[in-house]
Amino acid sequence: MSENMEKNTEMDEENENFITLTDDNGEDVSFEVLDVIEYNEREFAVLLPFEDTEDEVVILEVIPGEDEETDEFISVEDDELLNEVFEEFLKRCDEEFECQ
């Protein structure tokens, strides 16, 4: 997945759990938003790609723009941070939905 993705302004307004992002190559990628986690004063989106058959999540850092339409989503390069955010997601998920 590329480093930066921008929110597609044509996302489904009726269901906020779905989002379409445009990657650096101009390709639209649709996701289900599983959670948004605040961790170490930063915000991360835990996303499930629609076209992924392996049920692997994508975690992107959310860089707030002037409004929700201009938020930027960037890849997390730090593996330790990525694992910490994923563990927080699993903890929250297990508390709410018994995911594991």
Side-chain angles (χ1 to χ4, degrees), residues 6 23 29 48-49 53 60 63 68 72 88 90 93-94 99:
E6 293 182 12
D23 67 15
V29 183
L48 181 65
T53 58
L60 299 174
I63 306 298
E68 283 186 22
E72 186 175 356
E88 182 66 24
L90 290 178
C93 183
D94 192 42
C99 293

Side-chain angles (χ1 to χ4, degrees), residues 14-76:
E14 294 178 13
N15 194 337
E16 294 181 18
N17 289 332
F18 299 96
I19 188 171
T20 299
L21 301 176
T22 304
D23 67 15
D24 289 338
N25 299 322
E27 301 287 325
D28 287 344
V29 183
S30 295
F31 298 92
E32 178 180 359
V33 179
L34 300 178
D35 203 352
V36 175
I37 296 173
E38 288 190 35
Y39 186 79
N40 288 342
E41 299 180 15
R42 294 162 71 182
E43 190 171 87
F44 300 89
V46 181
L47 309 170
L48 181 65
F50 285 152
E51 296 180 15
D52 187 358
T53 58
E54 297 183 26
D55 289 335
E56 293 183 6
V57 298
V58 173
I59 298 174
L60 299 174
E61 184 172 2
V62 181
I63 306 298
E66 293 178 19
D67 56 40
E68 283 186 22
E69 298 287 325
T70 60
D71 288 350
E72 186 175 356
F73 295 77
I74 59 172
S75 296
V76 178

